[in-house]
Amino acid sequence: MIILDGKTLKEKIIKNLKMKIEQKKIKPGLAVILVGDNPASQIYVKNKVLTAEKIGYLSKKIILSENTSKEKLVEAIKKLNKDSQIHGILIQLPLPSHLKPYEKEINNLIDPKKDVDCFHPENMGRFFLEKKNHDDILAPCTPKGIIRILKEYDIEIAGKKAVVIGRSNIVGKPVALMLCNEEATVTIAHSQTKNLEKITREADILIVAVGKPLFVKKEMVKRGSVVVDVGINRLPNGKVVGDVDFENVKDKCLAISPVPGGIGPMTVASLMENLLIAYNHQLT
Ligand code: GUN
């Protein structure tokens, strides 16, 4: 059984990015906006900023209080859109409850050229229209990281049956498209899917993004399959686990991604790659 080690691959990607920007006079600049004090978001933001600094990017962390008004947040985005030192902007989600109804509207205010999350309809549209996965266009970070790690471990995708559990705009839908571009036959399953186990047991590649701790058990996976766990859940005892019951499932797999240390670091690595892509688009 192979462990898909995202932590190590992230380090390799960082090293490569560091080399690519070493000679550049103007450094790529990343701005991360965090509204409120969600503890998980605080950790993710810290991680993104530290990784950016490790590469040698310029980084800017903008922390706004929990009760920040929509107007104040809009103002912060507009300022960053105009800031020539900043090439990538991301707003850490989730937003506090009073801003949730405006999430889409707020994200759409980010200059598409600086949209390193690839949430803007213009970037999502461009991404959707590609027939192959390219390294030089912005793509959603988690799906991009998943394809990258499968390739790193020489996991065959073409002709395989892939099942994605989850249909979010950030993970489920775009990863299904990317797998399809890699010539897999893809099924998207979700909360209303009947007979889920029958479908997942046919998967050569199973991508799990449901947000339910330890949801996938060994009865749900095919022997010799590749299982990719996108979940990050904190149990009441403080332990962080994925959507897959790793210990229960691992011996049935050809390869499996752990949590932590699997897709989480790959998402950050992809964000760092997206920043260089956005920078190159803006400076050339
Ligand atoms: N919150 C959870 N995942 C993400 C992500 O990929 N981007 C942003 N901005 N927030 C998130």
Side-chain angles (χ1 to χ4, degrees):
M1 186 260 306
I2 302 161
I3 304 263
L4 302 170
D5 178 358
K7 197 163 170 244
T8 304
L9 179 51
K10 177 191 167 197
E11 291 308 316
K12 180 173 156 183
I13 292 169
I14 285 175
K15 226 172 161 179
N16 188 262
L17 289 170
K18 196 177 157 84
M19 256 165 38
K20 280 187 180 164
I21 67 142
E22 231 150 31
Q23 305 299 327
K24 295 191 190 295
K25 277 208 189 70
I26 304 169
K27 300 297 181 195
L30 175 70
V32 184
I33 303 177
L34 174 62
V35 189
D37 42 23
N38 178 311
S41 290
Q42 283 176 333
I43 295 170
Y44 297 148
V45 164
K46 189 172 147 202
N47 211 332
K48 288 171 186 177
V49 169
L50 284 177
T51 306
E53 284 167 0
K54 202 166 161 190
I55 295 169
Y57 291 160
L58 178 80
S59 81
K60 203 169 187 166
K61 190 162 73 173
I62 292 121
I63 310 281
L64 301 171
S65 65
E66 184 82 19
N67 59 8
T68 296
S69 66
K70 182 186 163 199
E71 289 70 30
K72 276 266 178 269
L73 178 54
V74 168
E75 198 181 304
I77 296 166
K78 287 188 172 162
K79 199 168 155 203
L80 292 168
N81 278 343
K82 281 193 219 131
D83 187 338
S84 62
Q85 285 193 314
I86 296 298
H87 308 92
I89 304 168
L90 81 86
I91 306 167
Q92 187 65 31
L93 300 178
L95 286 170
S97 53
H98 69 286
L99 294 171
K100 273 232 172 82
Y102 310 109
E103 188 177 297
K104 207 161 143 189
E105 186 188 331
I106 287 166
N107 261 309
N108 291 357
L109 286 174
I110 295 176
D111 180 344
K113 287 197 193 70
K114 300 189 178 186
D115 168 37
V116 280
D117 260 330
C118 193
F119 287 172
H120 194 285
E122 190 177 316
N123 292 321
M124 211 27 125
R126 208 170 270 140
F127 165 76
F128 179 87
L129 292 170
E130 294 295 330
K131 292 203 172 80
K132 289 254 173 283
N133 299 321
H134 297 290
D135 289 338
D136 57 351
I137 71 155
L138 294 172
C141 298
T142 302
K144 180 173 164 144
I146 293 171
I147 301 297
R148 178 69 177 81
I149 201 166
L150 293 178
K151 291 198 166 175
E152 180 73 13
Y153 283 87
D154 290 324
I155 305 287
E156 240 187 276
I157 306 176
K160 297 293 177 187
K161 187 161 175 24
V163 173
V164 179
I165 322 181
R167 54 177 154 177
S168 71
N169 287 334
I170 304 184
V171 182
K173 283 193 255 177
V175 80
L177 179 62
M178 291 186 89
L179 288 163
C180 187
N181 286 345
E182 295 294 333
E183 296 178 290
T185 303
V186 186
T187 302
I188 303 180
H190 47 77
S191 54
Q192 297 301 308
T193 299
K194 306 260 191 296
N195 258 328
L196 179 64
E197 189 175 313
K198 180 173 178 286
I199 293 168
T200 57
R201 282 182 70 91
E202 288 177 359
D204 301 308
I205 300 170
L206 180 63
I207 314 284
V208 190
V210 284
K212 289 184 188 155
L214 312 174
F215 178 75
V216 170
K217 306 282 185 196
K218 62 173 185 273
E219 294 74 27
M220 294 175 73
V221 310
K222 174 168 153 180
R223 186 164 294 284
S225 62
V226 174
V227 176
V228 175
D229 189 351
V230 183
I232 304 177
N233 311 283
R234 196 173 284 275
L235 296 179
N237 67 9
K239 194 177 173 209
V240 172
V241 297
D243 293 350
V244 177
D245 190 339
F246 183 89
E247 287 305 323
N248 183 266
V249 164
K250 69 178 200 298
D251 293 330
K252 253 183 126 174
C253 301
L254 168 68
I256 181 167
S257 73
V259 177
I263 303 308
M266 291 308 299
T267 298
V268 179
S270 301
L271 174 71
M272 300 302 141
E273 289 184 323
N274 272 354
L275 182 68
L276 187 57
I277 293 168
Y279 169 94
N280 286 334
H281 287 171
Q282 285 163 73
L283 266 71
T284 53

